[in-house]
Amino acid sequence: MPVTRLHTARLTLEPLVVGRDASDVLGLYADPRFSEFLASGPLTSIEQVTAYLSGFEELPEGQGCWLARRRDDASARVIGRFSLRPWKLAVPGDPLEVGWFLDVGSWGQGFAEEAMSAVLEYAADHPRQPRVIALVRHDNVASARLARRLGGVVTGQGQWYGDDLSLRFDIPCSPRARAESVPSTRPS
């Protein structure tokens, strides 16, 4: 298994096992609002979801994908997908890429930031990454805000996933470095 289970105050992040989990996430990927910023667009069949997710199973130790479930939800319904992997145009020495997608009904509650903080701490300790990148489509305002809250700084832009322009955020992995990179909102 490439990654280990992570826990936050409100979430459990389980390592993805495609054969076990594809049907649990089909509803997420089929929702056009959830998949609006995926280069693939909505995935509406179990075969499409299985093919999309299968790439996460072949990653080296310390890299992979997690499915998030609320700890207080007895149904254990999947509310999001979080990942740590090489980006598709990586060259030697490039940082790993993180990604996040959250169930529409869970937006605006801090779950993405909570889960990504755990993923970043994991990345700092396990694959020993000082920083990661997040490629965020230019019109994905909520994800750009999250990347900045996580300490991310825009270091480039390009068309890395499809024809849409994306911003490259470099995000420090250690909690201390992230805290130091987030601008203070207090008046000076």
Side-chain angles (χ1 to χ4, degrees):
M1 190 172 299
V3 294
T4 59
R5 177 182 296 155
L6 304 175
H7 297 281
T8 70
R10 301 180 297 161
L11 301 171
T12 298
L13 282 73
E14 287 282 338
L16 169 75
V17 177
V18 175
R20 177 191 70 198
D21 298 325
S23 61
D24 289 346
V25 298
L26 176 59
L28 296 177
Y29 283 94
D31 184 332
R33 294 168 300 166
F34 174 89
S35 56
E36 177 181 0
F37 299 108
L38 279 174
S40 65
L43 305 174
T44 57
S45 73
I46 196 70
E47 293 80 15
Q48 289 175 321
V49 170
T50 299
Y52 177 80
L53 295 175
S54 66
F56 289 108
E57 290 193 317
E58 300 166 10
L59 295 173
E61 190 71 24
Q63 300 173 35
C65 181
W66 293 268
L67 298 181
R69 292 176 169 86
R70 290 180 58 159
R71 294 173 77 172
D72 66 354
D73 181 359
S75 75
R77 182 178 62 86
V78 173
I79 66 163
R81 194 267 291 162
F82 301 86
S83 60
L84 174 68
R85 64 179 176 176
W87 68 303
K88 72 177 188 175
L89 299 176
V91 297
D94 272 356
L96 295 175
E97 178 188 2
V98 292
W100 56 84
F101 291 91
L102 195 63
D103 171 62
V104 174
S106 300
W107 289 357
Q109 299 175 53
F111 292 123
E113 184 171 2
E114 185 174 325
M116 282 310 304
S117 293
V119 169
L120 292 170
E121 288 179 36
Y122 173 87
D125 292 338
H126 292 66
R128 293 253 187 260
Q129 297 288 303
R131 65 187 170 90
V132 294
I133 64 168
L135 303 174
V136 177
R137 226 172 72 181
H138 76 285
D139 54 346
N140 189 342
V141 175
S143 283
R145 268 196 314 265
L146 173 58
R148 287 184 177 96
R149 279 196 315 273
L150 293 168
V153 175
V154 175
T155 58
Q157 60 182 1
Q159 293 173 304
W160 297 297
Y161 289 106
D163 295 331
D164 292 304
L165 182 65
S166 293
L167 303 174
R168 174 185 164 152
F169 286 87
D170 280 49
I171 303 173
C173 290
S174 81
R176 181 178 179 173
R178 286 198 319 271
E180 291 171 357
S181 69
V182 176
S184 172
T185 56
R186 287 181 270 158
S188 43

